Amino acid sequence: MSTTMTAHQLILKQRAELLAVLCGGGSAEPLDCVLDLLLACEVLVWEDYLSIRVAEKPLCSNVRQLLDMVYDKGEDACSLLLAAMSQVLPEEQKAGLCFGKECAVVGKDRPDTATLTLLADRPVLVRKLRDNIDGALNALLTTGCFTIKDCDAVQLPVYTPSQQVRKLLDQVRFKGETAAKALLQYLEQTETTRPNPEDKENHLSANCLLYQKKLRSSVAAQSHSLSTYGGTGRFSLDDIYTDGLLEVTDGSGETLTLGLEDVVGPLGTLNEDADTVLVSGEAGSGKSTLLQRLHLLWAREALLTNTFLLFPFSCRKLNAEHRELSLKELLFLHCCWPDRGQDEGTLMKGVMKVATSRPQAVGPSLKRYLRKEVLLKGFSPGGIDCFVKKHHSDPAMARRVIESLQANTVLLSLCHIPVFCWIVTKCHQELLGGQDVIPQTITDVYLLVLQHFFQRKSPQSQGVLGKAWLEEHLDTVLKLGQLALEGLETSCYVFSGYELQRNGLKEQDVSLGFLIYCNDLSVTDCKRYEFLHITLQCFFAALYVVLNRNSDRSAVSRLFQSQYRQLSSLSQRCLGHCIDSSVEGVESHVTETPNLQITAQFVSGLLSQRHHNLLLECCPIAVRERKVKQVVKSLSKGMQRHFKSIPRPVEGEKKSMHAMPSFVWLIKCIYEMQDNSIAQETMAKLDVEHLKLTYCNIGPVECTALAYVLKYLRNPVGLQLDNNSVGDVGVEQLLPCLHICHSLYLRNNNISDEGIRKLLEKGMKCESFQKIALFNNNLTDACTQHFALLLKSKQNFLSLRLGNNNITSQGAEQLAEGLSYNQSLEFLGLWGNKIGDSGAEALAAALKNSTTLIWLSLVDNGVGSAGACALAKLISQSKTLEQLWLNKNCISREGVECLIEALKMNSSVKEVWLRGNNLSPEEEEELSKQESRLTF
């Protein structure tokens, strides 16, 4: 872009790019830094700042307001805005942007009031106060300028340090001249009396190093093993730990794969000022075990070597604390006490927090304050094999278990969730022993583990249980179920011995292994217990709801209404006091919903006809049938809520439903019931042409449920599953509903060539299947032979998008073979591959006789002028092509001139995009004058 343009013109021309860099990462810090500079140089006055920085509005709206306001202020203001952005943005974000000529700020007289000084020196003050916020607040409290309430408003934990400083400066300005003078005076004093940090470090080092050694020892003891079966059996974490899939989305929206060492590393950081990393994953995905592994490696000095002290916490155990604790007590009571120098356990600069959560438990308003969010997506297929082999020392037995899983893809799909993989592996004897019913659902798997645990304690010969095994252990099941349900309803996951006694549980019940001891190193004498896994607590709660003859008649309905409750209980949870009340009001209703939803899922499965005989003697038929009707009615109502929310289609667009995660949950409940009539009746009421399920944590388990239900749709739909965790196994699970999909969107889903092979084998036989999008997967040249065969055989296929994969010129040549026989394809996207000139030449030759192609994208493919000249021949011959995208390639002037000559012979082409090629700004300007349809 030419630097001769005025600042006015640069802001107008680059508006979209400037908007993207200021809000692309989701952090408001770049915008705030720019606003600080503009206030300091008087481009903005205070009223302008208040109208721009509106917390209730989305970040992008605030940035647009800034751009509009500065643009209206004239050329000088625009120059200063560009200069401020150039100063604030990192070099990688400035690439491709032009900030005009350097702009010197005209020297101004120093402000004559303290409040104006706060504005003039705002950028410097933010830096100085970031590490002195506590001292500044104390000074303002001491002088009477601030109240405790003022300090609390500034120090809300959801604010980053920089945001706390800006909140402080805003408050001080509001308080007036006296407060502003007090703050400036405090800063002057700190500048002159700042202590030598080395003296303090030397003084602390002896006690701190002793405590570090003790803490490492304690954390190692706490983390080296996993408990099983009532604490009597233990696995060494080294022997059993298997890496799960870890992903993070960077500021540009690209998904990156992480190693364990990257969880707290810089990779994927969105907000440099934030200090909290969130690891999110579904129940049973291995979040707690991952943190335990991090703890153990830190204790051994094998990972996190720059972390001086590490304090592990369990939010479940913190929820059981009813006393007020100081920070010192909190750290030491739940970890270990220093032998001496307890007053030196102060928080240091650079503190980092790592927390785990379910994906929907933390909403957008809180995610703004995260350093990054790491997604834990369970095991890969290779991870499942590795886990099974680690569990079985006998290679032959491990091989038998793996073979049985591969023969049952439904069971294999469950095993992508580590806790299910553990259950299936642990229950291998029942699995391989000729079960009457092969496990198909999550409920089936948990009944398997229930049977396995009881069988271990069975006094009968060889521990064989009879067909009435559930009835024989009904009393224990109900007592455990009552404890589990009461715990879920009160968000209690840790139980005292008294609570067990109150529910009639005895030592022999505990010894079964469903409950384990909570091992706390520095805790009191009283024993505390928790269920082996939270999902097991949900399962027992579901058993109680189904089997208790005296339960409240509305118990089933209440479970399914949990997602619609407006719970106000977040403030009672661990760390609830850290959350601004305005945020709580928005998100409190999702606090404990996931556990209740899992329970409802199990209730649906237990009431399936598949388990009728098992429950026959445990629950009267009339009671069971009443509960079945309640579940069916609740599912129907839940689905109707979604269907009623479908907006009317805009004229010319398809009727679309953007499904929410709760829709997926309802689908899973229907699948657990395994009743075709319920699935069929539900889908008969869904009338859409496009079903969008993006960012819904769809994995292989969810794919199984979706296919089971969606196959009953009356008319074909477009199924959009972008940005999930489908994988190859999930693709295979979707095959039963492929006949009802006219379009399938699977962008960013970790799919490989093998998954595509199976998909296309089925797709070639499905008349309705016409479009597929597979951007950002793990595809190579090996997949193109299958696409070539599809294009040859399906003369109604319309759209193929394979962007950002690993396809080279060889793959493009294979694809071209299929394209040369196809007379239906309208859209072909290969953005972000490596096809080069030879690949472009092959595609151009194959497509030159196409009578249907409308859009072709070869962006970022290493295409040079030779490839451009080949594509020019395609342009000159095509009667249908409208758009050709060639951005970010290596095309020089020669190649563009070929395209210009071809465009003279073709009036149907509307646009040829050529941004980011080997052309100077002067060449771009000259060539665009020759042909207006070129976009640089």
Side-chain angles (χ1 to χ4, degrees):
M1 191 172 295
S2 175
T3 56
T4 59
M5 297 176 72
T6 66
H8 240 137
Q9 292 170 327
L10 285 172
I11 286 181
L12 188 62
K13 184 78 174 176
Q14 301 178 112
R15 182 181 173 89
E17 290 82 0
L18 295 176
L19 182 67
V21 293
L22 279 179
C23 54
S27 167
E29 184 61 18
L31 172 62
D32 286 335
C33 290
V34 169
L35 291 174
D36 292 344
L37 290 165
L38 295 180
L39 281 169
C41 61
E42 298 181 8
V43 171
L44 299 178
V45 296
W46 187 247
E47 289 72 22
D48 295 335
Y49 173 79
L50 293 178
S51 67
I52 292 169
R53 199 65 181 91
V54 181
E56 294 76 21
K57 287 186 179 178
L59 177 59
C60 57
S61 297
N62 292 338
V63 175
R64 289 192 183 97
Q65 173 81 352
L66 170 65
L67 294 175
D68 291 342
M69 185 177 290
V70 173
Y71 186 85
D72 290 340
K73 286 178 180 284
E75 179 68 13
D76 289 343
C78 291
S79 295
L80 289 166
L81 171 60
L82 291 170
M85 291 187 67
S86 180
Q87 182 177 330
V88 166
L89 294 174
E91 287 302 318
E92 61 268 23
Q93 286 192 325
K94 291 195 284 187
L97 289 173
C98 181
F99 296 93
K101 296 178 181 177
E102 287 191 11
C103 160
V105 179
V106 178
K108 295 188 171 81
D109 295 333
R110 289 295 298 163
D112 53 6
T113 68
T115 48
L116 289 176
T117 301
L118 294 184
L119 289 183
D121 294 344
R122 189 177 175 94
V124 177
L125 292 174
V126 169
R127 287 196 298 274
K128 285 184 177 180
L129 284 166
R130 199 155 39 197
D131 297 326
N132 293 299
I133 192 80
D134 290 327
L137 288 171
N138 284 334
L140 291 165
L141 271 173
T142 303
T143 55
C145 297
F146 263 36
T147 65
I148 294 292
K149 188 175 181 181
D150 294 328
C151 294
D152 289 342
V154 168
Q155 288 194 298
L156 277 175
V158 292
Y159 291 151
T160 66
S162 296
Q163 288 169 330
Q164 289 184 353
V165 174
R166 292 187 180 98
K167 183 74 173 175
L168 170 66
L169 293 173
D170 296 350
Q171 286 275 63
V172 169
R173 191 179 188 284
F174 177 78
K175 296 284 185 181
E177 192 69 3
T178 303
K181 284 180 179 177
L183 179 60
L184 293 173
Q185 187 176 359
Y186 163 76
L187 284 170
E188 285 177 8
Q189 291 171 349
T190 56
E191 287 293 322
T192 57
T193 61
R194 180 169 292 168
N196 184 352
E198 292 183 5
D199 295 339
K200 190 173 183 183
E201 284 175 12
N202 291 333
H203 174 68
L204 290 176
S205 61
N207 287 337
C208 285
L209 287 171
L210 281 172
Y211 181 61
Q212 183 193 52
K213 184 177 180 181
K214 181 177 182 180
L215 185 62
R216 284 193 193 279
S217 175
S218 297
V219 171
Q222 201 172 359
S223 308
H224 84 278
S225 61
L226 289 169
S227 295
T228 62
Y229 300 147
T232 56
R234 301 180 74 81
F235 285 124
S236 164
L237 193 62
D238 290 323
D239 293 340
I240 204 65
Y241 182 78
T242 304
D243 286 323
L245 288 170
L246 288 168
E247 292 181 357
V248 70
T249 304
D250 66 10
S252 64
E254 186 177 349
T255 299
L256 307 173
T257 301
L258 304 184
L260 192 61
E261 68 280 1
D262 298 314
V263 171
V264 296
L267 198 61
T269 297
L270 296 177
N271 186 351
E272 293 282 355
D273 287 318
D275 61 6
T276 302
V277 173
L278 180 70
V279 178
S280 60
E282 296 291 351
S285 59
K287 301 183 293 294
S288 299
T289 308
L290 179 140
L291 287 194
Q292 187 172 335
R293 184 65 174 168
L294 280 177
H295 299 162
L296 182 60
L297 293 176
W298 173 82
R300 293 174 175 170
E301 301 183 58
L303 205 65
L304 308 180
T305 52
N306 293 328
T307 301
F308 186 65
L309 300 174
L310 184 147
F311 297 98
F313 292 100
S314 162
C315 282
R316 292 184 196 173
K317 294 172 187 174
L318 291 180
N319 276 339
E321 285 287 358
H322 300 296
R323 301 168 294 154
E324 282 194 4
L325 296 175
S326 68
L327 178 60
K328 187 198 308 184
E329 290 172 318
L330 184 68
L331 294 175
F332 298 156
L333 180 65
H334 285 269
C335 299
C336 68
W337 286 90
D339 295 319
R340 58 177 181 266
Q342 293 177 9
D343 291 336
E344 299 169 17
T346 54
L347 280 181
M348 297 165 288
K349 288 189 295 182
V351 68
M352 178 75 72
K353 298 187 283 287
V354 182
T356 64
S357 167
R358 305 278 176 82
Q360 276 79 50
V362 179
S365 58
L366 284 181
K367 285 185 180 180
R368 289 180 298 168
Y369 303 103
L370 297 176
R371 189 174 184 84
K372 63 181 174 184
E373 181 180 11
V374 177
L375 303 176
L376 180 55
K377 297 196 167 185
F379 289 150
S380 66
I384 295 173
D385 290 358
C386 179
F387 186 83
V388 172
K389 288 173 183 176
K390 284 187 173 184
H391 259 279
H392 294 287
S393 55
D394 179 1
M397 177 56 72
R399 188 167 57 252
R400 283 189 67 200
V401 173
I402 291 170
E403 287 171 356
S404 70
L405 290 176
Q406 291 172 341
N408 182 349
T409 56
V410 174
L411 205 55
L412 181 62
S413 71
L414 287 172
C415 286
H416 280 74
I417 299 175
V419 72
F420 299 158
C421 193
W422 172 78
I423 289 172
V424 169
T425 305
K426 186 52 58 182
C427 303
H428 66 278
Q429 289 179 332
E430 291 85 348
L431 186 66
L432 301 175
Q435 286 278 309
D436 294 336
V437 179
I438 297 174
Q440 295 286 315
T441 67
I442 294 173
T443 308
D444 294 348
V445 171
Y446 275 74
L447 282 170
L448 195 68
V449 80
L450 192 69
Q451 183 179 355
H452 174 79
F453 275 47
F454 284 133
Q455 192 159 291
R456 286 176 55 253
K457 294 290 184 179
S458 174
Q460 300 173 30
S461 60
Q462 299 179 347
V464 177
L465 294 176
K467 290 191 175 181
W469 63 268
L470 184 58
E471 183 187 3
E472 292 168 13
H473 296 90
L474 184 59
D475 183 57
T476 299
V477 167
L478 287 174
K479 287 186 287 190
L480 286 166
Q482 185 173 8
L483 180 74
L485 184 60
E486 288 174 356
L488 290 180
E489 289 176 339
T490 57
S491 300
C492 176
Y493 309 102
V494 177
F495 308 94
S496 66
Y498 168 74
E499 287 171 305
L500 267 62
Q501 289 175 6
R502 191 182 64 194
N503 282 274
L505 287 162
K506 298 175 183 175
E507 185 58 38
Q508 59 264 35
D509 299 316
V510 175
S511 68
L512 286 167
F514 300 115
L515 293 169
I516 58 173
Y517 297 126
C518 289
N519 292 321
D520 242 329
L521 293 177
S522 54
V523 147
T524 61
D525 296 332
C526 68
K527 289 182 179 178
R528 295 194 292 176
Y529 305 81
E530 62 185 336
F531 280 89
L532 188 56
H533 193 268
I534 182 61
T535 53
L536 196 62
Q537 182 173 348
C538 295
F539 181 62
F540 271 104
L543 282 165
Y544 185 75
V545 169
V546 171
L547 300 178
N548 180 23
R549 305 182 186 197
N550 303 315
S551 64
D552 181 354
R553 294 176 72 91
S554 64
V556 171
S557 303
R558 285 205 311 273
L559 277 178
F560 286 89
Q561 291 165 3
S562 60
Q563 60 176 343
Y564 307 109
R565 295 180 193 164
Q566 296 296 317
L567 301 177
S568 59
S569 53
L570 183 59
S571 58
Q572 301 168 8
R573 304 284 177 270
C574 166
L575 306 182
H577 64 280
C578 298
I579 297 171
D580 188 350
S581 58
S582 62
V583 175
E584 179 181 339
V586 174
E587 295 177 2
S588 60
H589 64 286
V590 297
T591 312
E592 297 299 319
T593 297
N595 292 334
L596 297 176
Q597 288 184 338
I598 293 170
T599 306
Q601 203 174 325
F602 281 132
V603 167
S604 304
L606 288 167
L607 292 171
S608 163
Q609 189 63 31
R610 289 161 61 88
H611 304 305
H612 173 77
N613 291 337
L614 180 64
L615 272 58
L616 191 61
E617 300 302 324
C618 302
C619 181
I621 292 178
V623 173
R624 181 186 175 279
E625 288 179 351
R626 170 172 59 80
K627 291 178 180 179
V628 169
K629 287 178 182 177
Q630 284 180 305
V631 170
V632 173
K633 185 178 180 181
S634 297
L635 291 173
S636 179
K637 278 187 176 180
M639 282 296 187
Q640 285 305 310
R641 284 190 185 97
H642 283 279
F643 297 162
K644 286 177 181 177
S645 69
I646 301 173
R648 292 180 179 276
V650 178
E651 188 175 347
E653 292 188 2
K654 293 180 178 179
K655 188 176 182 183
S656 178
M657 173 180 166
H658 191 161
M660 303 305 288
S662 54
F663 173 81
V664 179
W665 164 62
L666 291 169
I667 291 283
K668 287 165 76 174
C669 289
I670 293 172
Y671 175 73
E672 289 294 316
M673 293 203 81
Q674 290 288 292
D675 188 327
N676 293 339
S677 63
I678 296 175
Q680 196 165 1
E681 186 180 341
T682 301
M683 289 299 99
K685 298 170 185 174
L686 180 58
D687 180 24
V688 292
E689 296 173 87
H690 189 86
L691 184 58
K692 190 173 182 180
L693 286 156
T694 58
Y695 294 101
C696 282
N697 297 293
I698 305 289
V701 173
E702 289 74 22
C703 289
T704 305
L706 279 170
Y708 177 81
V709 177
L710 295 182
K711 66 185 179 185
Y712 292 109
L713 279 165
R714 292 179 299 176
N715 300 306
V717 297
L719 181 58
Q720 188 168 354
L721 294 170
D722 298 337
N723 300 294
N724 284 295
S725 309
V726 172
D728 290 348
V729 176
V731 165
E732 193 168 358
Q733 296 309 110
L734 288 171
L735 297 183
C737 72
L738 192 60
H739 69 282
I740 205 70
C741 298
H742 58 67
S743 310
L744 189 57
Y745 304 88
L746 290 165
R747 300 176 181 94
N748 192 24
N749 267 290
N750 201 29
I751 298 167
S752 75
D753 301 325
E754 179 60 18
I756 292 306
R757 180 186 69 78
K758 294 178 180 178
L759 177 68
L760 297 186
E761 279 180 3
K762 177 69 180 287
M764 280 186 280
K765 302 170 187 173
C766 299
E767 181 64 25
S768 299
F769 182 51
Q770 296 181 316
K771 298 179 182 179
I772 192 165
L774 290 159
F775 174 85
N776 200 31
N777 280 287
N778 300 321
L779 306 183
T780 69
D781 292 336
C783 76
T784 55
Q785 59 182 315
H786 307 300
F787 282 111
L789 190 59
L790 176 85
L791 292 166
K792 283 181 183 179
S793 61
K794 276 187 72 69
Q795 293 301 320
N796 67 339
F797 202 76
L798 303 177
S799 178
L800 177 59
R801 298 175 192 254
L802 300 173
N804 206 30
N805 282 286
N806 299 295
I807 297 171
T808 69
S809 58
Q810 184 181 349
E813 289 163 6
Q814 280 193 316
L815 204 57
E817 185 184 346
L819 288 167
S820 62
Y821 289 91
N822 185 275
Q823 286 300 322
S824 63
L825 196 73
E826 296 177 354
F827 300 90
L828 177 60
L830 287 165
W831 182 92
N833 283 285
K834 306 179 186 74
I835 69 166
D837 281 333
S838 58
E841 289 166 350
L843 292 174
L847 291 166
K848 66 183 180 182
N849 296 320
S850 171
T851 58
T852 56
L853 188 70
I854 296 171
W855 180 90
L856 173 62
S857 173
L858 299 178
V859 170
D860 194 15
N861 260 287
V863 176
S865 290
C869 291
L871 291 164
K873 293 176 184 176
L874 168 63
I875 290 175
S876 63
Q877 292 180 262
S878 176
K879 304 299 181 188
T880 57
L881 185 66
E882 295 181 2
Q883 292 199 5
L884 176 60
W885 288 68
L886 294 170
N887 295 343
K888 296 183 180 178
N889 279 297
C890 317
I891 302 169
S892 63
R893 184 185 185 108
E894 177 191 355
V896 178
E897 287 175 343
C898 286
L899 293 170
I900 290 173
E901 288 302 312
L903 285 167
K904 290 178 181 177
M905 295 181 280
N906 189 324
S907 59
S908 65
V909 175
K910 296 176 181 177
E911 291 179 305
V912 177
W913 289 76
L914 288 162
R915 286 181 177 167
N917 279 282
N918 292 351
L919 300 163
S920 68
E922 292 75 20
E923 285 177 315
E924 289 181 356
E925 190 173 347
E926 179 190 343
L927 293 167
S928 62
K929 287 178 181 176
Q930 293 183 38
E931 176 53 71
S932 62
R933 288 176 287 176
L934 300 181
T935 301
F936 295 101

